[in-house]
Amino acid sequence: MFIDYSLEFLEHKAHETLLDYSTQFQNKSEEIGLSQEEISFYQKLSAITYMRLSLSSNEFPLDSVWNEKRQRSIRPDDLLQEDLTLIEKLLPIINNLRLKAHFADILWLRTKDHKMAICASEYYLQFFLSKNKKLGLSKSWMPATDECERGLQIAKKINNDSLLINYKDHFLEYLKNENILPNNARHLYNLIYIAHKYKIIDAPILSSIAESFAHLQQNTPEQNLCELYFDLAIQTCNVRKDRERLNKLHREAGMWLISTAGSSRYYTTLTNAVHHLRKGHASKEQIQKAHDILLKKQQKLSDIFESFETSADIRPLIKRTRQILSQKKLQPALTNFATFPLMSYNNENDYILKCIKEYPISFIMPASVHDNRGRIIYKIPAIDRSSTKYNQNVIEDNIFLRIARIVWSTRCHGFILPGIEILTKEHNITRSNLFRFINKNPIIPPGHEEIILEGILAGFHHKMMVSMHFLIPQFEAVIRHILNTEKIITSKLNDNDIQEERLLAPLLAMPDTEKIFGKDLIFELRGLLCEKTGYNFRNELVHGFLNASELKSIPSYNIWWIFFRLLISGHYNK
């Protein structure tokens, strides 16, 4: 019978990945000559063997491939009783520990059989240990920490002391072995965090280990993890019983941050240093030293801008940012942050016309626009000064070039980044704080509130990769929603009489859009999202041209801020 093939395959393939199992069964289901029953059986096995961990969900810690009918991933609660019987039959003969743990976990989730829970927890731990034993304690990074955490979750859920002690002993074996730290710093941090989260090791022990690792990580390639280790040591320190040690940890963290304040993250690093020094009751001289370094670095950055172009002196802008945001209540501070003026289209247009008149040689030849891979993606035509009226499209191309190089950069470094630092240091910006601006906001299409909330919140925590993937598609949704609310048609009929929705660039080009949102905002959105002489960020993102650093750059912060500006305007115009 066709089940014999499955038994033989699962029994003898001990080192395959879950994808290998799933692919093998999927390929088997596509063989010629199989009955419908056989095809269904192998497809079901393909989905079951591909169940993978999703620890972000307490309710559904395992899911599998996407199911079109359900419009979501397949989960253990979708399995029928006959599927569970099959899993129970296959479990004893599987040699792959990861798959064995998943099968036992599925049975535990569905049947609540404590025997299956114990098996799943033990298999998860065995898989974690086998992966690390195979690599060697001092040779490579520690994989399978998710499986380890899931096993610990189950042991904690059923309150099995024997399992918890077993996990504790193995955790301590890794955490007390300093030889594995150089290649495993990040993963050892995860182990300490997991041990603290599930309270399987006494907090003072974890605090001492974290402090030791913080010192060992200094002056290493991954020394940025020192701050994380110091934070863990502080979190796990007993405040009531060891106040002096807690103060000492804060002071050490602060002094280390001062010594490593690089140019790229100096503002965050030094403000965190001041925070730690104050918490640790450091001397006024130590705190003043951090302030002096911060001011010196800010002066150096301002000098760089000043030497590049005198109009890009951002020191007055940073000062103004502090004046309108600092020492304000949260709602007025957020409102001031969102209502900062946009660039003026008319002013920029006048500036380019002035440059054409005063520096004509800069415009008599076509200009090539290159992308970050060195390709020519656009050519700006030369400007014919003999003409009585310049081509406005060419004027706008030059405006986009200028604001991309100067205006948006100045706003980002002089206003947005300092503004985020001030707001997040003086206020605890949470989902609930931001939800008041999103709930029933007339600019947001129904059902899009959670998407936009996650994108805005991520931006306040500098998670711009997350923010951009959430927010950029929502610009089109928001604009279309507002136009539809105003009874403006946003679709069109093609030559085959098929009704198509207008995409972002055509929506921004509609006169009604400019009338509702204003020329300045629409021009900025065009440059940031669509125009090749600007950042063209929307198209670069959706076609996969942007790398991680580019997703955390100047255009990301400007796009995020403009979306937040739209939210505030919609909130107060309800």
Side-chain angles (χ1 to χ4, degrees):
M1 190 177 175
F2 50 82
I3 194 171
D4 295 333
Y5 167 84
S6 308
L7 292 170
E8 182 181 353
F9 179 74
L10 290 169
E11 186 175 9
H12 291 97
K13 298 288 183 178
H15 304 298
E16 305 286 343
T17 66
L18 298 186
L19 181 59
D20 290 330
Y21 282 107
S22 179
T23 303
Q24 182 75 18
F25 286 123
Q26 183 61 36
N27 292 341
K28 186 69 177 175
S29 73
E30 296 171 359
E31 289 183 1
I32 298 174
L34 296 181
S35 67
Q36 188 57 46
E37 183 183 8
E38 289 173 317
I39 292 172
S40 176
F41 175 81
Y42 288 125
Q43 287 178 342
K44 188 175 294 183
L45 269 181
S46 176
I48 293 173
T49 52
Y50 195 56
M51 287 277 180
R52 56 198 185 278
L53 284 176
S54 178
L55 295 179
S56 59
S57 171
N58 293 325
E59 188 177 2
F60 305 112
L62 284 165
D63 63 19
S64 187
V65 293
W66 182 261
N67 183 276
E68 287 293 336
K69 184 177 180 180
R70 293 186 174 91
Q71 285 297 297
R72 60 170 171 78
S73 299
I74 296 174
R75 302 189 300 243
D77 58 321
D78 296 322
L79 301 178
L80 303 175
Q81 182 57 47
E82 61 188 60
D83 302 326
L84 300 178
T85 303
L86 173 63
I87 290 173
E88 192 171 3
K89 183 176 181 179
L90 295 175
L91 179 61
I93 58 96
I94 298 173
N95 284 324
N96 184 295
L97 285 170
R98 187 182 185 191
L99 187 59
K100 209 173 182 72
H102 285 192
F103 274 26
D105 200 352
I106 291 170
L107 292 172
W108 152 243
L109 289 168
R110 287 297 305 275
T111 66
K112 298 304 177 186
D113 182 348
H114 276 228
K115 181 181 177 182
M116 286 296 105
I118 293 171
C119 288
S121 183
E122 289 177 343
Y123 292 149
Y124 278 126
L125 180 59
Q126 289 172 26
F127 176 68
F128 170 75
L129 296 175
S130 68
K131 296 294 284 186
N132 291 291
K133 182 179 180 180
K134 185 165 67 173
L135 291 169
L137 285 180
S138 61
K139 293 181 180 179
S140 186
W141 60 283
M142 301 176 68
T145 49
D146 282 350
E147 283 76 11
C148 182
E149 181 175 357
R150 175 58 185 159
L152 187 53
Q153 275 182 0
I154 297 172
K156 198 74 175 177
K157 181 78 174 178
I158 63 176
N159 198 24
N160 188 303
D161 290 338
S162 176
L163 282 173
L164 292 172
I165 291 172
N166 201 14
Y167 272 90
K168 174 183 177 180
D169 291 342
H170 286 295
F171 270 51
L172 288 173
E173 178 187 356
Y174 286 114
L175 295 176
K176 290 186 176 181
N177 187 343
E178 294 181 354
N179 293 327
I180 65 174
L181 179 63
N183 298 318
N184 298 278
R186 190 171 297 278
H187 298 278
L188 287 172
Y189 168 83
N190 291 338
L191 283 189
I192 297 175
Y193 177 81
I194 293 169
H196 177 55
K197 180 179 178 180
Y198 296 99
K199 297 181 172 57
I200 61 168
I201 300 176
D202 292 339
I205 296 175
L206 290 177
S207 182
S208 177
I209 293 172
E211 181 186 6
S212 173
F213 285 174
H215 292 304
L216 291 171
Q217 277 299 106
Q218 295 179 18
N219 302 317
T220 67
E222 287 195 287
Q223 65 175 3
N224 59 305
L225 290 173
C226 282
E227 185 177 0
L228 294 178
Y229 276 121
F230 272 124
D231 287 341
L232 261 183
I234 290 166
Q235 290 174 32
T236 52
C237 184
N238 192 315
V239 179
R240 295 181 180 178
K241 294 183 179 180
D242 207 351
R243 169 64 68 176
E244 183 52 44
R245 181 170 177 273
L246 180 64
N247 291 341
K248 172 177 166 288
L249 287 171
H250 274 299
R251 291 194 297 270
E252 288 180 351
M255 295 307 294
W256 178 81
L257 287 169
I258 290 174
S259 68
T260 59
S263 58
S264 60
R265 290 184 65 248
Y266 76 88
Y267 195 96
T268 302
T269 301
L270 290 170
T271 50
N272 286 343
V274 172
H275 166 77
H276 280 297
L277 292 174
R278 286 175 175 166
K279 285 279 189 179
H281 302 288
S283 65
K284 291 183 179 179
E285 290 77 13
Q286 289 174 316
I287 297 173
Q288 187 60 47
K289 179 181 178 182
H291 278 296
D292 291 343
I293 296 173
L294 176 60
L295 293 173
K296 185 177 179 180
K297 287 185 175 291
Q298 286 179 327
Q299 179 66 46
K300 184 177 180 180
L301 184 62
S302 297
D303 290 343
I304 291 172
F305 270 88
E306 191 170 24
S307 64
F308 177 71
E309 180 161 329
T310 55
S311 61
D313 183 357
I314 64 172
R315 288 173 293 183
L317 183 54
I318 293 175
K319 182 178 179 181
R320 183 183 175 191
T321 303
R322 293 197 187 101
Q323 290 172 345
I324 64 175
L325 299 182
S326 187
Q327 299 180 353
K328 300 271 192 310
K329 290 184 178 180
L330 179 58
Q331 186 153 334
L334 289 175
T335 304
N336 289 348
F337 182 62
T339 53
F340 191 83
L342 295 165
M343 55 130 276
S344 168
Y345 175 86
N346 290 334
N347 288 348
E348 293 297 328
N349 188 74
D350 292 342
Y351 180 84
I352 294 298
L353 293 175
K354 179 182 177 182
C355 289
I356 293 171
K357 182 179 179 179
E358 295 181 0
Y359 311 106
I361 196 170
S362 301
F363 301 91
I364 61 173
M365 296 291 290
S368 297
V369 179
H370 297 74
D371 66 7
N372 55 10
R373 293 166 297 284
R375 299 181 305 148
I376 297 176
I377 57 173
Y378 189 78
K379 287 190 175 181
I380 303 175
I383 291 179
D384 182 7
R385 294 189 71 242
S386 63
S387 174
T388 56
K389 187 176 182 180
Y390 300 135
N391 184 330
Q392 192 59 30
N393 291 332
V394 179
I395 299 295
E396 289 187 353
D397 285 338
N398 282 280
I399 296 174
F400 286 131
L401 278 179
R402 169 181 150 73
I403 61 178
R405 293 172 178 173
I406 299 175
V407 176
W408 288 327
S409 176
T410 302
R411 180 201 286 158
C412 178
H413 292 291
F415 175 71
I416 298 175
L417 288 175
I420 291 173
E421 295 293 343
I422 292 167
L423 291 169
T424 53
K425 287 299 177 184
E426 295 189 4
H427 305 281
N428 181 25
I429 297 180
T430 62
R431 285 179 176 82
S432 58
N433 290 334
L434 296 176
F435 186 71
R436 71 183 67 174
F437 298 104
I438 292 175
N439 186 34
K440 299 180 180 179
N441 193 314
I443 77 163
I444 300 178
H448 291 235
E449 294 87 350
E450 187 176 352
I451 301 172
I452 291 171
L453 176 60
E454 291 299 324
I456 294 297
L457 183 63
F460 275 110
H461 297 286
H462 298 284
K463 298 178 180 178
M464 302 313 294
M465 288 192 293
V466 175
S467 180
M468 290 300 97
H469 281 88
F470 275 113
L471 294 183
I472 284 181
Q474 299 308 310
F475 275 104
E476 188 173 326
V478 165
I479 292 169
R480 183 179 292 113
H481 174 68
I482 294 175
L483 291 174
N484 289 337
T485 302
E486 296 295 325
K487 310 300 181 184
I488 298 168
I489 298 173
T490 58
S491 60
K492 61 181 180 179
L493 290 175
N494 66 14
D495 294 338
N496 296 319
D497 292 332
I498 295 174
Q499 188 173 5
E500 298 175 335
E501 286 289 350
R502 297 178 189 271
L503 301 181
L504 182 60
L507 285 175
L508 293 175
M510 292 173 62
D512 288 317
T513 307
E514 183 174 305
K515 183 178 179 181
I516 292 172
F517 290 92
K519 193 172 187 67
D520 294 342
L521 176 61
I522 295 304
F523 194 79
E524 287 217 34
L525 289 178
R526 284 176 54 203
L528 286 165
L529 299 173
C530 303
E531 298 291 339
K532 291 183 178 179
T533 46
Y535 282 120
N536 195 25
F537 215 70
R538 181 257 187 198
N539 298 317
E540 293 282 309
L541 175 68
V542 298
H543 294 298
F545 291 129
L546 299 174
N547 59 36
S549 62
E550 290 165 339
L551 279 167
K552 296 180 281 189
S553 58
I554 290 168
S556 298
Y557 283 99
N558 278 278
I559 291 166
W560 170 82
W561 174 76
I562 285 181
F563 205 115
F564 185 64
R565 195 178 197 279
L566 277 171
L567 287 182
I568 297 296
S569 64
H571 173 76
Y572 285 111
N573 290 327
K574 285 192 289 190

